[in-house]
Amino acid sequence: SEAFVENGDTNAITALFTIDVPRSLSDNEIISIPIKTRIELQPDGNIEIAVSYTNTAKDGRMRLILPTGVLTKTALADGHFRLAQRHQISFETPESAPERYKAYPGELEYRTQHMNDFVLLQSDHFTTWIATRGLHEFELINDSDKTSVALTINRSVGLLSTGNGRIRRVQAGPAIDVPGAQCLREISATIGLGIENTSEIDTAISAARTFSHPLWVREMPYLPHLKSGDSIPRKNSIIQLDNPLVAISSLRLHPDGVTTVLRMYNLSDSEQTTHAKFGIPVNEWASVDLYERWPDDGLNQLGNNETVSFSLKPHQIVTILLRQSETA
């Protein structure tokens, strides 16, 4: 292996190394896969890890093992419309759990678990967050006195389903060849890791989401044939929420071409309140169901630069309609 600093950048170090693995399940020939890993210390103190390699092995899994500095058997994973508790799963084999393996369908516990964007591990004094951009499988691993997170970067398979595996005895589907699922191509992944000096998770959630969804910038084209209206401020937000435990899942234009639809949800298992400030012209709003229809009554009026307070029950999803009325 070799480690060096690229282009004089003292905030980053690059490591080049190789791993030796069998070519496939049916071919024991050992092949070498070069891997490039770049670790960069960001200005905010967080760490960005970039991994890239060319996958030439079949029937395997590549994982990145990240230490967390925390000893725990529980993590909070960014799940579907909530922060989900994920508990470390004990290791089972056909030998350690023979009765369960022999029974139908003979499926043992999977040690890997799901996350959307990030996973949090908490101690009494700080929270470690690990965030990804498109990786959704992780596992908690306890080695000695600390917990590590194993992130799956790539999983290669050759058949849609097989039977008599180490985890599942019964075949779950047809044994159809899926050569594209061997992922014999360039593989790259970017992972973020940070530590917040508090047991509160608000700042960790904000940091993790910021990494998973970085700022996207695009220059708008010049359209001289369009009539210009008022000037555009140099800095503005369509909407601002002040509680990281309340997340936006959708913000879009209604099919009527006038209404803006805001959908947000409470990540936590406790009631949360957030204040919303709108950077678009709005003087009427209403809380509605998923049909997204304006009610005949119950409209709420909104003044200029006014902030609206929303209370959400545990894991509640709410839909808000916003518009500027014609009489405004």
Side-chain angles (χ1 to χ4, degrees), residues 68 70 72-79 82-86 114-115 117-123 126-131 138 140 147 149 192 194-196 198-209 244-245 267:
T68 65
V70 177
T72 181
K73 291 187 176 182
T74 304
L76 287 175
D78 175 35
R82 66 177 183 135
L83 279 178
Q85 275 203 346
R86 306 294 193 201
H114 170 267
M115 67 176 181
D117 290 330
F118 60 85
V119 61
L120 310 176
L121 289 86
Q122 296 175 276
S123 73
F126 61 90
T127 298
T128 299
W129 60 265
I130 295 173
F138 77 97
L140 296 178
T147 302
V149 171
I195 296 176
E196 301 298 330
T198 174
S199 59
E200 298 296 327
I201 63 175
D202 299 21
T203 52
I205 291 174
S206 294
R209 284 202 185 280
L245 291 174
L267 282 160

mmCIF file of all heavy atoms in Angstrom, residues 68 70 72-79 82-86 114-115 117-123 126-131 138 140 147 149 192 194-196 198-209 244-245 267:
data_model
loop_
_atom_site.group_PDB
_atom_site.id
_atom_site.type_symbol
_atom_site.label_atom_id
_atom_site.label_comp_id
_atom_site.label_asym_id
_atom_site.label_seq_id
_atom_site.Cartn_x
_atom_site.Cartn_y
_atom_site.Cartn_z
ATOM 1 N N THR A 68 -16.387 4.558 15.073
ATOM 2 C CA THR A 68 -17.278 5.644 15.483
ATOM 3 C C THR A 68 -16.880 6.301 16.796
ATOM 4 O O THR A 68 -17.379 7.380 17.115
ATOM 5 C CB THR A 68 -18.720 5.122 15.626
ATOM 6 O OG1 THR A 68 -18.765 4.170 16.705
ATOM 7 C CG2 THR A 68 -19.191 4.462 14.343
ATOM 8 N N VAL A 70 -17.794 5.244 19.582
ATOM 9 C CA VAL A 70 -18.933 5.011 20.465
ATOM 10 C C VAL A 70 -19.047 3.508 20.706
ATOM 11 O O VAL A 70 -18.788 2.703 19.812
ATOM 12 C CB VAL A 70 -20.240 5.542 19.842
ATOM 13 C CG1 VAL A 70 -21.441 5.231 20.725
ATOM 14 C CG2 VAL A 70 -20.138 7.039 19.591
ATOM 15 N N THR A 72 -21.911 0.981 21.469
ATOM 16 C CA THR A 72 -23.363 0.877 21.529
ATOM 17 C C THR A 72 -23.824 -0.297 20.679
ATOM 18 O O THR A 72 -23.094 -0.755 19.791
ATOM 19 C CB THR A 72 -24.031 2.175 21.012
ATOM 20 O OG1 THR A 72 -25.454 2.054 21.099
ATOM 21 C CG2 THR A 72 -23.643 2.443 19.571
ATOM 22 N N LYS A 73 -25.014 -0.779 20.955
ATOM 23 C CA LYS A 73 -25.629 -1.804 20.134
ATOM 24 C C LYS A 73 -26.883 -1.277 19.446
ATOM 25 O O LYS A 73 -27.658 -2.043 18.868
ATOM 26 C CB LYS A 73 -25.975 -3.033 20.980
ATOM 27 C CG LYS A 73 -24.755 -3.796 21.480
ATOM 28 C CD LYS A 73 -25.151 -5.093 22.153
ATOM 29 C CE LYS A 73 -23.905 -5.885 22.547
ATOM 30 N NZ LYS A 73 -24.261 -7.184 23.177
ATOM 31 N N THR A 74 -27.059 0.063 19.500
ATOM 32 C CA THR A 74 -28.238 0.691 18.915
ATOM 33 C C THR A 74 -27.818 1.916 18.112
ATOM 34 O O THR A 74 -26.945 2.671 18.530
ATOM 35 C CB THR A 74 -29.239 1.116 20.004
ATOM 36 O OG1 THR A 74 -29.584 -0.018 20.796
ATOM 37 C CG2 THR A 74 -30.504 1.695 19.386
ATOM 38 N N ALA A 75 -28.440 2.102 16.968
ATOM 39 C CA ALA A 75 -28.195 3.276 16.134
ATOM 40 C C ALA A 75 -29.530 3.860 15.711
ATOM 41 O O ALA A 75 -30.569 3.181 15.724
ATOM 42 C CB ALA A 75 -27.362 2.906 14.912
ATOM 43 N N LEU A 76 -29.504 5.133 15.334
ATOM 44 C CA LEU A 76 -30.667 5.786 14.754
ATOM 45 C C LEU A 76 -30.402 5.947 13.264
ATOM 46 O O LEU A 76 -29.451 6.623 12.871
ATOM 47 C CB LEU A 76 -30.923 7.146 15.408
ATOM 48 C CG LEU A 76 -31.491 7.144 16.817
ATOM 49 C CD1 LEU A 76 -31.566 8.567 17.363
ATOM 50 C CD2 LEU A 76 -32.884 6.515 16.841
ATOM 51 N N ALA A 77 -31.237 5.320 12.460
ATOM 52 C CA ALA A 77 -31.056 5.374 11.012
ATOM 53 C C ALA A 77 -32.133 6.255 10.400
ATOM 54 O O ALA A 77 -33.294 6.234 10.825
ATOM 55 C CB ALA A 77 -31.122 3.978 10.407
ATOM 56 N N ASP A 78 -31.727 7.023 9.408
ATOM 57 C CA ASP A 78 -32.676 7.820 8.642
ATOM 58 C C ASP A 78 -33.548 6.860 7.844
ATOM 59 O O ASP A 78 -33.114 6.282 6.848
ATOM 60 C CB ASP A 78 -31.893 8.762 7.713
ATOM 61 C CG ASP A 78 -32.801 9.542 6.785
ATOM 62 O OD1 ASP A 78 -33.915 9.906 7.203
ATOM 63 O OD2 ASP A 78 -32.395 9.786 5.632
ATOM 64 N N GLY A 79 -34.786 6.664 8.297
ATOM 65 C CA GLY A 79 -35.685 5.714 7.655
ATOM 66 C C GLY A 79 -36.730 6.423 6.824
ATOM 67 O O GLY A 79 -36.585 7.587 6.444
ATOM 68 N N ARG A 82 -39.070 8.817 9.190
ATOM 69 C CA ARG A 82 -38.815 8.735 10.630
ATOM 70 C C ARG A 82 -37.342 8.424 10.870
ATOM 71 O O ARG A 82 -36.626 8.005 9.961
ATOM 72 C CB ARG A 82 -39.663 7.640 11.282
ATOM 73 C CG ARG A 82 -39.285 6.235 10.822
ATOM 74 C CD ARG A 82 -40.084 5.177 11.532
ATOM 75 N NE ARG A 82 -39.676 3.836 11.146
ATOM 76 C CZ ARG A 82 -39.470 2.844 11.995
ATOM 77 N NH1 ARG A 82 -39.634 3.042 13.293
ATOM 78 N NH2 ARG A 82 -39.115 1.652 11.571
ATOM 79 N N LEU A 83 -36.917 8.647 12.115
ATOM 80 C CA LEU A 83 -35.645 8.130 12.587
ATOM 81 C C LEU A 83 -35.930 6.764 13.212
ATOM 82 O O LEU A 83 -36.654 6.670 14.198
ATOM 83 C CB LEU A 83 -35.028 9.065 13.630
ATOM 84 C CG LEU A 83 -34.274 10.285 13.105
ATOM 85 C CD1 LEU A 83 -33.774 11.123 14.272
ATOM 86 C CD2 LEU A 83 -33.101 9.877 12.232
ATOM 87 N N ALA A 84 -35.366 5.712 12.630
ATOM 88 C CA ALA A 84 -35.685 4.356 13.060
ATOM 89 C C ALA A 84 -34.565 3.804 13.928
ATOM 90 O O ALA A 84 -33.384 3.956 13.604
ATOM 91 C CB ALA A 84 -35.891 3.453 11.851
ATOM 92 N N GLN A 85 -34.943 3.187 15.035
ATOM 93 C CA GLN A 85 -33.952 2.521 15.884
ATOM 94 C C GLN A 85 -33.533 1.205 15.250
ATOM 95 O O GLN A 85 -34.366 0.365 14.909
ATOM 96 C CB GLN A 85 -34.522 2.262 17.276
ATOM 97 C CG GLN A 85 -34.382 3.429 18.221
ATOM 98 C CD GLN A 85 -34.434 2.981 19.680
ATOM 99 O OE1 GLN A 85 -34.824 1.874 19.994
ATOM 100 N NE2 GLN A 85 -34.028 3.862 20.564
ATOM 101 N N ARG A 86 -32.207 1.056 15.078
ATOM 102 C CA ARG A 86 -31.667 -0.188 14.533
ATOM 103 C C ARG A 86 -30.795 -0.836 15.608
ATOM 104 O O ARG A 86 -29.853 -0.209 16.090
ATOM 105 C CB ARG A 86 -30.824 0.072 13.285
ATOM 106 C CG ARG A 86 -31.527 0.868 12.201
ATOM 107 C CD ARG A 86 -32.684 0.118 11.598
ATOM 108 N NE ARG A 86 -33.145 0.763 10.368
ATOM 109 C CZ ARG A 86 -34.335 0.587 9.839
ATOM 110 N NH1 ARG A 86 -35.211 -0.209 10.443
ATOM 111 N NH2 ARG A 86 -34.680 1.199 8.726
ATOM 112 N N HIS A 114 -31.153 -1.169 6.930
ATOM 113 C CA HIS A 114 -31.382 -0.110 5.943
ATOM 114 C C HIS A 114 -31.275 1.277 6.554
ATOM 115 O O HIS A 114 -31.655 1.508 7.708
ATOM 116 C CB HIS A 114 -32.771 -0.265 5.310
ATOM 117 C CG HIS A 114 -33.184 0.900 4.472
ATOM 118 N ND1 HIS A 114 -33.914 1.957 4.964
ATOM 119 C CD2 HIS A 114 -32.923 1.194 3.178
ATOM 120 C CE1 HIS A 114 -34.112 2.842 4.005
ATOM 121 N NE2 HIS A 114 -33.518 2.406 2.921
ATOM 122 N N MET A 115 -30.759 2.212 5.753
ATOM 123 C CA MET A 115 -30.839 3.635 6.059
ATOM 124 C C MET A 115 -31.063 4.367 4.736
ATOM 125 O O MET A 115 -30.727 3.856 3.661
ATOM 126 C CB MET A 115 -29.556 4.134 6.727
ATOM 127 C CG MET A 115 -28.340 4.117 5.831
ATOM 128 S SD MET A 115 -26.901 4.823 6.667
ATOM 129 C CE MET A 115 -25.669 4.679 5.361
ATOM 130 N N ASP A 117 -30.233 8.176 4.206
ATOM 131 C CA ASP A 117 -29.083 9.062 3.991
ATOM 132 C C ASP A 117 -28.002 8.928 5.053
ATOM 133 O O ASP A 117 -26.833 9.126 4.775
ATOM 134 C CB ASP A 117 -29.534 10.529 3.951
ATOM 135 C CG ASP A 117 -30.342 10.854 2.712
ATOM 136 O OD1 ASP A 117 -30.108 10.214 1.677
ATOM 137 O OD2 ASP A 117 -31.210 11.747 2.775
ATOM 138 N N PHE A 118 -28.387 8.628 6.303
ATOM 139 C CA PHE A 118 -27.391 8.678 7.375
ATOM 140 C C PHE A 118 -27.766 7.752 8.512
ATOM 141 O O PHE A 118 -28.900 7.266 8.608
ATOM 142 C CB PHE A 118 -27.221 10.112 7.899
ATOM 143 C CG PHE A 118 -28.490 10.701 8.471
ATOM 144 C CD1 PHE A 118 -28.849 10.466 9.799
ATOM 145 C CD2 PHE A 118 -29.320 11.491 7.701
ATOM 146 C CE1 PHE A 118 -30.005 11.007 10.337
ATOM 147 C CE2 PHE A 118 -30.482 12.038 8.227
ATOM 148 C CZ PHE A 118 -30.822 11.796 9.540
ATOM 149 N N VAL A 119 -26.774 7.534 9.398
ATOM 150 C CA VAL A 119 -26.982 6.779 10.620
ATOM 151 C C VAL A 119 -26.273 7.517 11.752
ATOM 152 O O VAL A 119 -25.206 8.104 11.548
ATOM 153 C CB VAL A 119 -26.457 5.331 10.473
ATOM 154 C CG1 VAL A 119 -24.968 5.305 10.188
ATOM 155 C CG2 VAL A 119 -26.785 4.493 11.697
ATOM 156 N N LEU A 120 -26.889 7.526 12.940
ATOM 157 C CA LEU A 120 -26.356 8.231 14.105
ATOM 158 C C LEU A 120 -26.062 7.238 15.213
ATOM 159 O O LEU A 120 -26.854 6.324 15.472
ATOM 160 C CB LEU A 120 -27.366 9.267 14.620
ATOM 161 C CG LEU A 120 -27.971 10.248 13.623
ATOM 162 C CD1 LEU A 120 -29.005 11.113 14.337
ATOM 163 C CD2 LEU A 120 -26.906 11.111 12.985
ATOM 164 N N LEU A 121 -24.926 7.438 15.883
ATOM 165 C CA LEU A 121 -24.577 6.639 17.057
ATOM 166 C C LEU A 121 -24.302 7.594 18.207
ATOM 167 O O LEU A 121 -23.509 8.536 18.063
ATOM 168 C CB LEU A 121 -23.358 5.751 16.793
ATOM 169 C CG LEU A 121 -23.589 4.565 15.845
ATOM 170 C CD1 LEU A 121 -23.417 4.987 14.403
ATOM 171 C CD2 LEU A 121 -22.650 3.422 16.172
ATOM 172 N N GLN A 122 -24.938 7.372 19.346
ATOM 173 C CA GLN A 122 -24.895 8.326 20.443
ATOM 174 C C GLN A 122 -24.172 7.757 21.666
ATOM 175 O O GLN A 122 -24.281 6.576 21.978
ATOM 176 C CB GLN A 122 -26.319 8.716 20.851
ATOM 177 C CG GLN A 122 -27.097 9.454 19.771
ATOM 178 C CD GLN A 122 -28.521 9.700 20.204
ATOM 179 O OE1 GLN A 122 -29.381 8.847 20.068
ATOM 180 N NE2 GLN A 122 -28.762 10.881 20.756
ATOM 181 N N SER A 123 -23.442 8.644 22.330
ATOM 182 C CA SER A 123 -22.906 8.363 23.653
ATOM 183 C C SER A 123 -23.480 9.400 24.608
ATOM 184 O O SER A 123 -24.332 10.203 24.228
ATOM 185 C CB SER A 123 -21.372 8.430 23.637
ATOM 186 O OG SER A 123 -20.934 9.776 23.529
ATOM 187 N N PHE A 126 -21.448 12.800 23.110
ATOM 188 C CA PHE A 126 -21.363 13.231 21.718
ATOM 189 C C PHE A 126 -22.129 12.255 20.827
ATOM 190 O O PHE A 126 -22.488 11.148 21.232
ATOM 191 C CB PHE A 126 -19.905 13.349 21.253
ATOM 192 C CG PHE A 126 -19.131 12.062 21.303
ATOM 193 C CD1 PHE A 126 -19.100 11.213 20.204
ATOM 194 C CD2 PHE A 126 -18.423 11.707 22.441
ATOM 195 C CE1 PHE A 126 -18.390 10.032 20.236
ATOM 196 C CE2 PHE A 126 -17.698 10.522 22.478
ATOM 197 C CZ PHE A 126 -17.692 9.685 21.373
ATOM 198 N N THR A 127 -22.372 12.712 19.608
ATOM 199 C CA THR A 127 -23.066 11.919 18.594
ATOM 200 C C THR A 127 -22.183 11.823 17.360
ATOM 201 O O THR A 127 -21.701 12.833 16.852
ATOM 202 C CB THR A 127 -24.418 12.554 18.208
ATOM 203 O OG1 THR A 127 -25.274 12.589 19.355
ATOM 204 C CG2 THR A 127 -25.099 11.768 17.096
ATOM 205 N N THR A 128 -21.966 10.614 16.890
ATOM 206 C CA THR A 128 -21.229 10.382 15.647
ATOM 207 C C THR A 128 -22.224 10.149 14.525
ATOM 208 O O THR A 128 -23.159 9.356 14.675
ATOM 209 C CB THR A 128 -20.301 9.161 15.768
ATOM 210 O OG1 THR A 128 -19.351 9.401 16.810
ATOM 211 C CG2 THR A 128 -19.558 8.919 14.455
ATOM 212 N N TRP A 129 -22.055 10.852 13.417
ATOM 213 C CA TRP A 129 -22.926 10.637 12.262
ATOM 214 C C TRP A 129 -22.106 10.159 11.073
ATOM 215 O O TRP A 129 -20.957 10.555 10.877
ATOM 216 C CB TRP A 129 -23.714 11.896 11.893
ATOM 217 C CG TRP A 129 -22.885 13.107 11.540
ATOM 218 C CD1 TRP A 129 -22.512 14.116 12.365
ATOM 219 C CD2 TRP A 129 -22.320 13.423 10.252
ATOM 220 N NE1 TRP A 129 -21.751 15.053 11.689
ATOM 221 C CE2 TRP A 129 -21.627 14.650 10.394
ATOM 222 C CE3 TRP A 129 -22.346 12.808 9.007
ATOM 223 C CZ2 TRP A 129 -20.967 15.272 9.332
ATOM 224 C CZ3 TRP A 129 -21.677 13.401 7.945
ATOM 225 C CH2 TRP A 129 -21.007 14.629 8.110
ATOM 226 N N ILE A 130 -22.709 9.288 10.299
ATOM 227 C CA ILE A 130 -22.123 8.790 9.050
ATOM 228 C C ILE A 130 -23.184 8.952 7.973
ATOM 229 O O ILE A 130 -24.306 8.448 8.118
ATOM 230 C CB ILE A 130 -21.692 7.318 9.173
ATOM 231 C CG1 ILE A 130 -20.560 7.193 10.196
ATOM 232 C CG2 ILE A 130 -21.261 6.758 7.822
ATOM 233 C CD1 ILE A 130 -20.179 5.757 10.515
ATOM 234 N N ALA A 131 -22.840 9.667 6.918
ATOM 235 C CA ALA A 131 -23.800 9.964 5.860
ATOM 236 C C ALA A 131 -23.245 9.506 4.511
ATOM 237 O O ALA A 131 -22.029 9.479 4.302
ATOM 238 C CB ALA A 131 -24.107 11.463 5.814
ATOM 239 N N PHE A 138 -26.096 -0.911 5.948
ATOM 240 C CA PHE A 138 -25.050 -0.814 6.957
ATOM 241 C C PHE A 138 -25.217 -1.931 7.976
ATOM 242 O O PHE A 138 -26.259 -2.579 8.072
ATOM 243 C CB PHE A 138 -25.070 0.548 7.662
ATOM 244 C CG PHE A 138 -26.162 0.690 8.691
ATOM 245 C CD1 PHE A 138 -25.901 0.476 10.038
ATOM 246 C CD2 PHE A 138 -27.453 1.036 8.315
ATOM 247 C CE1 PHE A 138 -26.900 0.596 10.999
ATOM 248 C CE2 PHE A 138 -28.459 1.163 9.262
ATOM 249 C CZ PHE A 138 -28.180 0.946 10.607
ATOM 250 N N LEU A 140 -23.897 -2.779 12.211
ATOM 251 C CA LEU A 140 -23.171 -2.429 13.428
ATOM 252 C C LEU A 140 -22.263 -3.585 13.819
ATOM 253 O O LEU A 140 -22.709 -4.729 13.919
ATOM 254 C CB LEU A 140 -24.153 -2.131 14.570
ATOM 255 C CG LEU A 140 -25.075 -0.927 14.393
ATOM 256 C CD1 LEU A 140 -26.002 -0.801 15.593
ATOM 257 C CD2 LEU A 140 -24.286 0.353 14.204
ATOM 258 N N THR A 147 -17.642 0.507 18.699
ATOM 259 C CA THR A 147 -18.553 0.063 17.646
ATOM 260 C C THR A 147 -18.134 0.676 16.310
ATOM 261 O O THR A 147 -17.825 1.875 16.241
ATOM 262 C CB THR A 147 -19.996 0.476 17.964
ATOM 263 O OG1 THR A 147 -20.379 -0.084 19.222
ATOM 264 C CG2 THR A 147 -20.960 -0.002 16.885
ATOM 265 N N VAL A 149 -19.166 0.939 12.000
ATOM 266 C CA VAL A 149 -20.258 0.832 11.039
ATOM 267 C C VAL A 149 -19.677 0.309 9.728
ATOM 268 O O VAL A 149 -18.737 0.903 9.180
ATOM 269 C CB VAL A 149 -20.954 2.182 10.817
ATOM 270 C CG1 VAL A 149 -21.937 2.102 9.655
ATOM 271 C CG2 VAL A 149 -21.684 2.620 12.083
ATOM 272 N N GLY A 192 -19.468 10.692 4.316
ATOM 273 C CA GLY A 192 -19.139 11.746 5.268
ATOM 274 C C GLY A 192 -19.205 11.229 6.689
ATOM 275 O O GLY A 192 -20.041 10.367 7.013
ATOM 276 N N GLY A 194 -18.752 12.711 10.886
ATOM 277 C CA GLY A 194 -18.534 13.832 11.781
ATOM 278 C C GLY A 194 -18.944 13.506 13.201
ATOM 279 O O GLY A 194 -19.681 12.532 13.447
ATOM 280 N N ILE A 195 -18.475 14.307 14.138
ATOM 281 C CA ILE A 195 -18.797 14.144 15.552
ATOM 282 C C ILE A 195 -19.293 15.474 16.090
ATOM 283 O O ILE A 195 -18.644 16.509 15.904
ATOM 284 C CB ILE A 195 -17.573 13.664 16.348
ATOM 285 C CG1 ILE A 195 -17.140 12.271 15.876
ATOM 286 C CG2 ILE A 195 -17.877 13.638 17.848
ATOM 287 C CD1 ILE A 195 -15.890 11.757 16.544
ATOM 288 N N GLU A 196 -20.441 15.453 16.710
ATOM 289 C CA GLU A 196 -20.992 16.639 17.347
ATOM 290 C C GLU A 196 -20.816 16.505 18.856
ATOM 291 O O GLU A 196 -21.132 15.460 19.438
ATOM 292 C CB GLU A 196 -22.473 16.800 16.997
ATOM 293 C CG GLU A 196 -22.747 16.916 15.504
ATOM 294 C CD GLU A 196 -22.098 18.119 14.876
ATOM 295 O OE1 GLU A 196 -21.931 19.142 15.572
ATOM 296 O OE2 GLU A 196 -21.741 18.050 13.682
ATOM 297 N N THR A 198 -22.181 16.876 21.573
ATOM 298 C CA THR A 198 -23.398 16.930 22.369
ATOM 299 C C THR A 198 -24.156 15.638 22.178
ATOM 300 O O THR A 198 -24.028 14.976 21.155
ATOM 301 C CB THR A 198 -24.290 18.127 21.964
ATOM 302 O OG1 THR A 198 -25.523 18.045 22.668
ATOM 303 C CG2 THR A 198 -24.565 18.119 20.475
ATOM 304 N N SER A 199 -24.942 15.258 23.176
ATOM 305 C CA SER A 199 -25.775 14.073 23.032
ATOM 306 C C SER A 199 -27.073 14.391 22.294
ATOM 307 O O SER A 199 -27.831 13.492 21.943
ATOM 308 C CB SER A 199 -26.103 13.488 24.412
ATOM 309 O OG SER A 199 -26.777 14.441 25.215
ATOM 310 N N GLU A 200 -27.367 15.696 22.076
ATOM 311 C CA GLU A 200 -28.536 16.077 21.296
ATOM 312 C C GLU A 200 -28.267 15.779 19.825
ATOM 313 O O GLU A 200 -27.149 15.953 19.334
ATOM 314 C CB GLU A 200 -28.851 17.564 21.479
ATOM 315 C CG GLU A 200 -29.182 17.950 22.910
ATOM 316 C CD GLU A 200 -30.441 17.270 23.404
ATOM 317 O OE1 GLU A 200 -31.348 17.038 22.593
ATOM 318 O OE2 GLU A 200 -30.504 16.960 24.609
ATOM 319 N N ILE A 201 -29.288 15.347 19.093
ATOM 320 C CA ILE A 201 -29.070 14.891 17.729
ATOM 321 C C ILE A 201 -29.398 15.943 16.674
ATOM 322 O O ILE A 201 -29.163 15.712 15.492
ATOM 323 C CB ILE A 201 -29.896 13.621 17.456
ATOM 324 C CG1 ILE A 201 -31.398 13.916 17.569
ATOM 325 C CG2 ILE A 201 -29.492 12.505 18.389
ATOM 326 C CD1 ILE A 201 -32.257 12.734 17.190
ATOM 327 N N ASP A 202 -29.923 17.109 17.069
ATOM 328 C CA ASP A 202 -30.341 18.112 16.098
ATOM 329 C C ASP A 202 -29.203 18.520 15.171
ATOM 330 O O ASP A 202 -29.343 18.526 13.941
ATOM 331 C CB ASP A 202 -30.893 19.355 16.804
ATOM 332 C CG ASP A 202 -32.114 19.041 17.651
ATOM 333 O OD1 ASP A 202 -32.282 17.866 18.010
ATOM 334 O OD2 ASP A 202 -32.881 19.964 17.945
ATOM 335 N N THR A 203 -28.059 18.881 15.758
ATOM 336 C CA THR A 203 -26.943 19.355 14.944
ATOM 337 C C THR A 203 -26.362 18.232 14.097
ATOM 338 O O THR A 203 -25.902 18.469 12.977
ATOM 339 C CB THR A 203 -25.857 19.964 15.839
ATOM 340 O OG1 THR A 203 -25.502 19.018 16.879
ATOM 341 C CG2 THR A 203 -26.355 21.244 16.496
ATOM 342 N N ALA A 204 -26.381 17.007 14.616
ATOM 343 C CA ALA A 204 -25.872 15.870 13.844
ATOM 344 C C ALA A 204 -26.749 15.609 12.623
ATOM 345 O O ALA A 204 -26.240 15.316 11.533
ATOM 346 C CB ALA A 204 -25.803 14.625 14.725
ATOM 347 N N ILE A 205 -28.057 15.722 12.776
ATOM 348 C CA ILE A 205 -28.974 15.536 11.646
ATOM 349 C C ILE A 205 -28.722 16.593 10.584
ATOM 350 O O ILE A 205 -28.653 16.295 9.381
ATOM 351 C CB ILE A 205 -30.429 15.570 12.126
ATOM 352 C CG1 ILE A 205 -30.745 14.334 12.969
ATOM 353 C CG2 ILE A 205 -31.390 15.657 10.948
ATOM 354 C CD1 ILE A 205 -32.113 14.366 13.606
ATOM 355 N N SER A 206 -28.571 17.844 11.002
ATOM 356 C CA SER A 206 -28.323 18.930 10.041
ATOM 357 C C SER A 206 -27.029 18.695 9.275
ATOM 358 O O SER A 206 -26.978 18.855 8.050
ATOM 359 C CB SER A 206 -28.266 20.276 10.775
ATOM 360 O OG SER A 206 -29.520 20.612 11.320
ATOM 361 N N ALA A 207 -25.967 18.302 9.987
ATOM 362 C CA ALA A 207 -24.677 18.074 9.342
ATOM 363 C C ALA A 207 -24.759 16.900 8.369
ATOM 364 O O ALA A 207 -24.220 16.954 7.256
ATOM 365 C CB ALA A 207 -23.607 17.836 10.394
ATOM 366 N N ALA A 208 -25.431 15.828 8.769
ATOM 367 C CA ALA A 208 -25.532 14.643 7.911
ATOM 368 C C ALA A 208 -26.342 14.938 6.653
ATOM 369 O O ALA A 208 -25.966 14.540 5.545
ATOM 370 C CB ALA A 208 -26.147 13.488 8.691
ATOM 371 N N ARG A 209 -27.460 15.629 6.808
ATOM 372 C CA ARG A 209 -28.288 15.950 5.644
ATOM 373 C C ARG A 209 -27.555 16.914 4.702
ATOM 374 O O ARG A 209 -27.683 16.811 3.476
ATOM 375 C CB ARG A 209 -29.613 16.575 6.089
ATOM 376 C CG ARG A 209 -30.600 15.581 6.632
ATOM 377 C CD ARG A 209 -32.012 16.111 6.545
ATOM 378 N NE ARG A 209 -32.956 15.210 7.159
ATOM 379 C CZ ARG A 209 -33.437 14.106 6.583
ATOM 380 N NH1 ARG A 209 -33.021 13.784 5.374
ATOM 381 N NH2 ARG A 209 -34.301 13.346 7.209
ATOM 382 N N PRO A 244 -34.508 20.761 12.970
ATOM 383 C CA PRO A 244 -33.978 19.682 12.131
ATOM 384 C C PRO A 244 -34.750 18.376 12.242
ATOM 385 O O PRO A 244 -34.610 17.506 11.383
ATOM 386 C CB PRO A 244 -32.543 19.505 12.651
ATOM 387 C CG PRO A 244 -32.216 20.751 13.383
ATOM 388 C CD PRO A 244 -33.510 21.248 13.944
ATOM 389 N N LEU A 245 -35.556 18.223 13.303
ATOM 390 C CA LEU A 245 -36.338 17.005 13.448
ATOM 391 C C LEU A 245 -37.610 17.025 12.610
ATOM 392 O O LEU A 245 -38.349 16.049 12.576
ATOM 393 C CB LEU A 245 -36.691 16.777 14.923
ATOM 394 C CG LEU A 245 -35.501 16.417 15.815
ATOM 395 C CD1 LEU A 245 -35.932 16.358 17.272
ATOM 396 C CD2 LEU A 245 -34.885 15.099 15.383
ATOM 397 N N LEU A 267 -39.555 13.493 12.190
ATOM 398 C CA LEU A 267 -38.638 12.363 12.237
ATOM 399 C C LEU A 267 -38.697 11.600 13.554
ATOM 400 O O LEU A 267 -38.368 10.414 13.608
ATOM 401 C CB LEU A 267 -37.204 12.862 12.034
ATOM 402 C CG LEU A 267 -36.739 13.193 10.630
ATOM 403 C CD1 LEU A 267 -35.526 14.104 10.697
ATOM 404 C CD2 LEU A 267 -36.400 11.928 9.880
#
